Amino acid sequence: MNALRRHRALERIWASRPGWRGKLTTVNNNDIGLMFLSLAVTFFAVGGILAMLIRAQLATPRSAFMGPDVYNQVFTMHGTVMMFLFAIPLFEGLTVYLLPKMLGTRDLAFPRLSAFGFWCYAFGGSLLIVSLLAGIAPESGWFMYPPLSSTLGSPGINADFWLLGITFVEISAISASVEIVVTVLLYRAPGMSLDKLPIFAWYMLVVAVMILTGFPPLILGSLLLELERAFGMPFFQAAAGGDSILWQHLFWLFGHPEVYIIFLPAAGVVSTVLPVMARTTLLGYGWIVAGAITLGVMSFGIWVHHMYATGIPHMGLAFFSAASTLVAVPTGVQIFAWIGTLWKGRPEMHLPMLWILAFFATFVMGGLTGVMVAMVPFDWQSHDTYFVVAHLHYVLVGGFVFPMLAGLYYWLPHFTGRQRYFKLGKTAFWLIVLGFHGTFLLLHWAGLLGMRRRIDSIEPGSGWELINLLASVGGFVMAIGFALVLIDVGVNVAVTVRGRRNPWGAGTLEWAMPSPSPSYNLASLPKVHSRNPLQDDPDLPVRIARGEGYLGDPGSGLREILAVEIASGRPSCLVIFPTNSALPIVMAFVTGGIFVGMLIKIYWLVPLSVLGVAALAAWWAWSLGNRGDLGLQPVGHGLVLLRASEVARPPGWWGSLFLLLADGVFFGALLFGYVFLWTVAPNWPPPAWLEPGLSGPLLALGGAVLAFGGIRLADRAIRCNAGPWLGLLLSLAGLAALGSAAITVLARTTHDAHAYDATLWVVAGYVVFHAAVAGLMTVFLVLRAGAGYLSARRIGEARIVRLWIDYAVAAAVLGLGAAWLPEVLT
Amino acid sequence: MTDILRLSLPLTAWLAAFSAVYGLQGLVCSDRWAEAGLDLTAGRIALTTAWAAAVALQLVFLVVLHSPRFTSRSAFVHGVSRTLAVAALVATLWTLLPVVTTSACL
């Protein structure tokens, strides 16, 4: 088969359906990545217009441009859109598009999950934009502190849009993170061991784990605040045993890692683009990997440095001040590695390089002001002033937007397949950089002069008038620059001439395919021997196109891909990916019913939507796997491998493991909240502790033993090719008992009596939910066993269900134990 | 998977210890501590013990990662995991130093 015929055959297998319907049903990473990127840029434009409205308002004293009510919505939505609807989805989109290509594979680990995540993002983001257009947008600031955001300070529907819309959007981030982690660990070109991973993949691995562990506290906080607003469960109301500081802890447990979640992908872009621009290889690869991991973990240890002004004792302040200074070290390691790379190379001043230099200057300045605000005495002086506003814009725009623009211009020839034509881009560069510093360098000064953030008007004679006028001029110059970038990209896409492959002479595998990339990315999967395969072997793209790698024969008509061992990169099994489907968009739509039902208070829609999601998930999962043992399959070069459905730990098991990591962090944050209220909140202890009685603990204990033992019995039966019915039945009975034990907690407490009771309701609800999910999965397994999908070799599905049952048991034992413990102790 | 654990465990342990000591400090300064009949001296001893235990745990990680029995077969993972273990030890020493240098509850 020649290269052209192979290309046509693979396109038939991997491409989306033609026309606009194809966009609704596609699960291909190229389509989903571009859809993410397009929508994120659209939201960036919305956030940018809101920023210009803010600058127009503050350009002159006592401006009548906007009233306070509108202004509050505008600045809240500016922050919200930029953080949640632009920054995170932008790098998700870039990663969805690029990561499989860089790793030398054909798609991400779970293509339908990619599509589901995108549609959750699109629907959730739209919900927020609708609120803005309707004039009922959130108005409590992007970090939504109660009591301002509770019904006391925000009685309308505005805050609900934020709490529900953002949680809906976060499903997309969690989905993408599970995808990224499993893809980096399992889906790589054969031979790509951990030391040969493209540096961008390391960064994204760290970022994805950070999202899985950083977002759950915010999801929990949003859930608790929404429950307080909707049902009067007083988690944040001091009079009833709550504490508004709990929100700040939950928010910043997410919010500080969030800064690094945004920065690290940009650092990954810099580490990828910089060596190519400098005509050399990256200096200190191992140090940079260590720096990224250290930065990722340490970023979780500094959440309280946003809360210095809340009256925390000196020792607590000192912990977080020390940690905040320490985090500068791994950042510095990366910056010095980049400088060293420049030093040993021969840098060429192409446009991506200009953006990287702008990043260096701006981010270092933002980092230094970050060290300043890490110092408690300085922070007390500058807290809630424009100094902090200027600092965070230096870090986020300098540390994220500028590197992303470097990436945009670096990969634009890959996206378009056209030659570079960047004259307009250089004009835009200077407008943006000068406009940015003209705005925010000056606003540091306004902050030091005492200008508070979020004020809708400045007074004549305050000394801030000229600064704000100049900052507004700078802001509009920057906006013109961004508009020029959009025009420039349009020109590049539309009118420039076809270019050659790999115009920069890069060494990573995304340049080993035609541009724009075909739907299958690589015609065959290459064997990799170094971090820069294209520099070692310039003919590699041709040999890939000829089908000389693995899986070069498209004869099966299936979407075939290889999974590898995590450490060594040796091929481990053959995976068949699902085809295009409307299931992801339908499921995202039905998921939206949960949030819309809560928002407009049609509560019957919520359980109905949950059931709909469960039914669709079962339908989704039913289409996977196979009814017979297929045995070893040829994958090329004489290698034969088992199908993923015939290994004990298929990719779905790994996906479940990392999803449960996020779930576990959510539960950990809930228990933290419980302990926090018990320790710190006023009006504790509650009037009465919950009495466990005898039935609840007995049900919990018996249920845990039955569920835990039953699934293992079933597992053993499947391995012996016997019927797993008894074990599965015992598991089901055990899960029912666990759920019943949790219901005894609900029956003995009143949800709105005290923060203690409200917390127990959430803990017990969590246990009931997980027992129900594990129970449904067990029923699904019964049906699958009956339909012949399980065998001694095809045990992977049972192992996935076992994982979920074990988690449900652990959550029940811990959660119900925590609920009953205070009464036992007293 | 074991290589991923080698890379992630020491710093995760630092984060857990750091959060736990911060939580312990909150408990020491709360009414619950006094209700249990304990004073600030006991609190300081508990905090210092927790810090020492966290440092000891990091030393154990360093030794284990250095030993031939537990080290990775990959030279890259071996090098990076040891670097991360040193970073975690330094982080434990530095970020929890306030347990012996500042007032606990002022």
Side-chain angles (χ1 to χ4, degrees):
Chain A
M1 184 181 283
N2 65 30
L4 187 60
R5 286 184 65 187
R6 178 173 293 100
H7 164 75
R8 285 177 180 155
L10 285 167
E11 272 294 318
R12 271 196 299 278
I13 296 167
W14 288 85
S16 55
R17 294 169 196 162
W20 63 269
R21 284 188 186 84
K23 297 292 175 212
L24 302 182
T25 56
T26 184
V27 296
N28 186 279
N29 77 298
N30 291 305
D31 296 329
I32 302 291
L34 288 174
M35 285 153 67
F36 255 115
L37 288 169
S38 308
L39 193 55
V41 170
T42 307
F43 283 127
F44 181 63
V46 172
I49 291 167
L50 294 172
M52 291 307 97
L53 294 179
I54 294 170
R55 287 317 321 161
Q57 171 75 5
L58 297 178
T60 53
R62 289 189 184 163
S63 172
F65 183 60
M66 279 184 276
D69 291 346
V70 175
Y71 186 80
N72 291 345
Q73 293 187 26
V74 167
F75 78 71
T76 299
M77 284 299 287
H78 166 68
T80 301
V81 167
M82 289 304 198
M83 296 297 273
F84 294 102
L85 304 185
F86 162 65
I88 296 169
L90 187 86
F91 75 70
E92 281 171 12
L94 188 72
T95 309
V96 168
Y97 183 86
L98 274 180
L99 194 61
K101 299 173 177 62
M102 285 183 158
L103 294 173
T105 187
R106 285 175 170 162
D107 207 327
L108 289 169
F110 308 109
R112 289 185 181 178
L113 192 62
S114 305
F116 173 68
F118 170 76
W119 292 113
C120 286
Y121 162 52
F123 294 153
S126 304
L127 212 59
L128 283 159
I129 299 303
V130 164
S131 76
L132 185 65
L133 295 174
I136 47 173
E139 55 188 352
S140 313
W142 82 274
F143 36 74
M144 296 290 288
Y145 281 178
L148 187 61
S149 59
S150 69
T151 44
L152 302 170
S154 183
I157 198 173
N158 308 54
D160 300 306
F161 271 107
W162 193 97
L163 297 168
L164 295 165
I166 292 302
T167 304
F168 196 6
V169 169
E170 280 164 2
I171 292 175
S172 131
I174 298 286
S175 306
S177 303
V178 170
E179 288 261 35
I180 292 166
V181 173
V182 178
T183 303
V184 174
L185 293 182
L186 297 187
Y187 291 92
R188 312 194 295 259
M192 189 180 276
S193 48
L194 287 178
D195 58 318
K196 298 185 187 74
L197 272 182
I199 192 72
F200 184 75
W202 269 113
Y203 275 102
M204 289 317 303
L205 180 62
V206 173
V207 168
V209 175
M210 288 176 73
I211 290 176
L212 291 175
T213 47
F215 276 47
L218 178 63
I219 295 173
L220 173 70
S222 301
L223 176 74
L224 298 186
L225 187 50
E226 187 55 35
L227 288 174
E228 178 177 302
R229 291 177 58 84
F231 305 115
M233 298 166 81
F235 299 104
F236 306 108
Q237 292 176 20
D243 193 336
S244 58
I245 296 294
L246 173 61
W247 170 269
Q248 295 198 27
H249 277 291
L250 293 175
F251 185 89
W252 290 115
L253 272 168
F254 145 83
H256 198 81
E258 160 82 346
V259 175
Y260 294 88
I261 286 170
I262 289 174
F263 165 66
L264 284 171
V269 170
V270 172
S271 293
T272 304
V273 176
L274 184 81
V276 180
M277 292 294 119
R279 322 304 307 157
T280 185
T281 52
L282 187 64
L283 182 75
Y285 174 90
W287 284 99
I288 290 186
V289 170
I293 295 172
T294 308
L295 197 56
V297 180
M298 282 189 178
S299 69
F300 282 88
I302 48 183
W303 81 93
V304 174
H305 85 191
H306 296 267
M307 299 164 59
Y308 283 163
T310 56
I312 291 167
H314 289 170
M315 187 182 285
L317 294 176
F319 288 150
F320 289 94
S321 188
S324 302
T325 54
L326 197 62
V327 89
V329 177
T331 314
V333 166
Q334 291 169 84
I335 288 176
F336 281 110
W338 293 329
I339 292 171
T341 305
L342 282 176
W343 190 266
K344 78 168 180 157
R346 290 174 287 109
E348 294 178 357
M349 286 298 151
H350 300 294
L351 193 49
M353 188 66 203
L354 288 180
W355 279 115
I356 288 176
L357 293 179
F359 151 76
F360 269 132
T362 313
F363 184 72
V364 168
M365 289 161 78
L368 289 175
T369 53
V371 176
M372 289 167 76
V373 291
M375 300 296 118
V376 178
F378 184 87
D379 184 78
W380 280 346
Q381 296 300 313
S382 62
H383 187 79
D384 270 351
T385 70
Y386 259 80
F387 187 89
V388 174
V389 174
H391 156 70
L392 74 92
H393 280 87
Y394 262 71
V395 174
L396 293 175
V397 178
F400 178 74
V401 178
F402 290 179
M404 283 298 170
L405 284 164
L408 168 73
Y409 281 109
Y410 176 73
W411 281 297
L412 196 57
H414 191 286
F415 282 106
T416 64
R418 294 173 186 271
Q419 278 185 9
R420 292 166 283 144
Y421 178 76
F422 294 144
K423 291 192 174 131
L424 206 54
K426 282 196 178 167
T427 310
F429 168 81
W430 288 110
L431 286 174
I432 292 171
V433 172
L434 294 175
F436 173 81
H437 287 278
T439 306
F440 292 104
L441 195 61
L442 289 174
L443 288 178
H444 285 101
W445 183 24
L448 291 175
L449 289 174
M451 182 175 166
R452 296 176 309 283
R453 66 193 300 188
R454 297 178 174 174
I455 53 172
D456 64 291
S457 176
I458 52 175
E459 290 298 309
S462 60
W464 311 329
E465 304 96 307
L466 182 62
I467 298 172
N468 275 281
L469 178 62
L470 293 173
S472 294
V473 171
F476 279 95
V477 169
M478 179 168 46
I480 293 167
F482 280 117
L484 279 185
V485 169
L486 288 179
I487 294 169
D488 188 33
V489 171
V491 169
N492 273 280
V493 170
V495 302
T496 54
V497 295
R498 292 284 307 167
R500 64 188 167 87
R501 183 187 302 188
N502 196 8
W504 306 109
T508 40
L509 282 173
E510 77 271 25
W511 298 102
M513 61 198 67
S515 303
S517 64
S519 57
Y520 53 85
N521 288 329
L522 292 160
S524 59
L525 307 185
K527 172 100 174 162
V528 166
H529 303 282
S530 79
R531 282 178 212 141
N532 293 294
L534 289 191
Q535 281 170 1
D536 300 343
D537 181 4
D539 288 336
L540 187 63
V542 177
R543 292 199 285 105
I544 288 171
R546 281 192 201 133
E548 292 176 14
Y550 294 90
L551 300 179
D553 179 7
S556 70
L558 299 170
R559 296 188 177 187
E560 294 178 321
I561 200 161
L562 286 183
V564 298
E565 291 172 7
I566 292 174
S568 67
R570 277 193 294 271
S572 63
C573 63
L574 172 67
V575 188
I576 306 299
F577 273 6
T579 55
N580 300 315
S581 167
L583 254 179
I585 187 172
V586 173
M587 193 154 146
F589 185 77
V590 175
T591 305
I594 300 170
F595 297 97
V596 173
M598 285 292 293
L599 185 67
I600 56 178
K601 304 198 187 311
I602 303 178
Y603 293 122
W604 57 263
L605 187 59
V606 178
L608 194 68
S609 302
V610 170
L611 285 176
V613 169
L616 288 167
W619 187 4
W620 181 324
W622 193 267
S623 64
L624 306 171
N626 41 284
R627 279 197 164 97
D629 288 342
L630 298 173
L632 294 166
Q633 311 273 304
V635 296
H637 292 275
L639 183 66
V640 286
L641 295 172
L642 288 172
R643 285 268 188 101
S645 54
E646 295 176 25
V647 298
R649 287 183 177 176
W653 185 89
W654 289 96
S656 289
L657 183 72
F658 287 102
L659 187 58
L660 286 173
L661 169 68
D663 202 356
V665 174
F666 178 94
F667 189 50
L670 177 59
L671 294 180
F672 159 77
Y674 182 27
V675 174
F676 175 84
L677 291 177
W678 179 76
T679 311
V680 175
N683 295 316
W684 275 64
W689 298 111
L690 169 71
E691 288 182 17
L694 207 59
S695 58
L698 279 179
L699 277 169
L701 195 65
V705 171
L706 280 179
F708 189 80
I711 188 65
R712 278 162 178 77
L713 198 63
D715 187 289
R716 180 185 285 183
I718 296 167
R719 276 188 280 125
C720 299
N721 278 324
W725 318 113
L726 177 64
L728 293 178
L729 195 66
L730 289 175
S731 266
L732 266 179
L735 292 165
L738 287 177
S740 305
I743 288 170
T744 65
V745 173
L746 297 175
R748 292 175 186 206
T749 45
T750 311
H751 71 279
D752 57 356
H754 189 273
Y756 166 70
D757 299 75
T759 306
L760 293 198
W761 265 64
V762 177
V763 170
Y766 183 88
V767 172
V768 170
F769 177 77
H770 282 79
V773 168
L776 285 174
M777 293 177 88
T778 310
V779 171
F780 180 82
L781 201 61
V782 169
L783 297 174
R784 294 285 277 185
Y789 281 97
L790 303 182
S791 73
R793 190 180 274 169
R794 284 171 287 125
I795 200 165
E797 289 182 24
R799 292 287 162 85
I800 293 171
V801 175
R802 190 170 106 178
L803 206 56
W804 284 87
I805 290 176
D806 288 352
Y807 183 83
V809 169
V813 170
L814 272 174
L816 298 178
W820 292 321
L821 191 64
E823 174 64 19
V824 173
L825 289 179
T826 55
Chain B
M1 190 63 177
T2 45
D3 274 346
I4 299 295
L5 289 176
R6 285 184 184 98
L7 293 171
S8 57
L9 264 184
L11 278 166
T12 307
W14 163 74
L15 183 59
F18 179 76
S19 306
V21 172
Y22 175 55
L24 179 61
Q25 184 255 341
L27 182 64
V28 166
C29 298
S30 74
D31 294 341
R32 311 287 163 266
W33 191 259
E35 285 165 10
L38 298 163
D39 61 8
L40 282 182
T41 307
R44 178 78 71 180
I45 291 168
L47 286 163
T48 310
T49 307
W51 182 38
V55 171
L57 181 66
Q58 292 298 339
L59 288 170
V60 168
F61 279 130
L62 257 182
V63 171
V64 167
L65 285 169
H66 198 67
S67 75
R69 188 174 165 197
F70 292 103
T71 195
S72 172
R73 274 181 292 180
S74 158
F76 170 78
V77 173
H78 176 68
V80 173
S81 59
R82 278 203 308 170
T83 306
L84 292 173
V86 171
L89 175 63
V90 172
T92 308
L93 286 167
W94 172 243
T95 59
L96 295 178
L97 183 65
V99 300
V100 292
T101 55
T102 61
S103 59
C105 300
L106 280 178

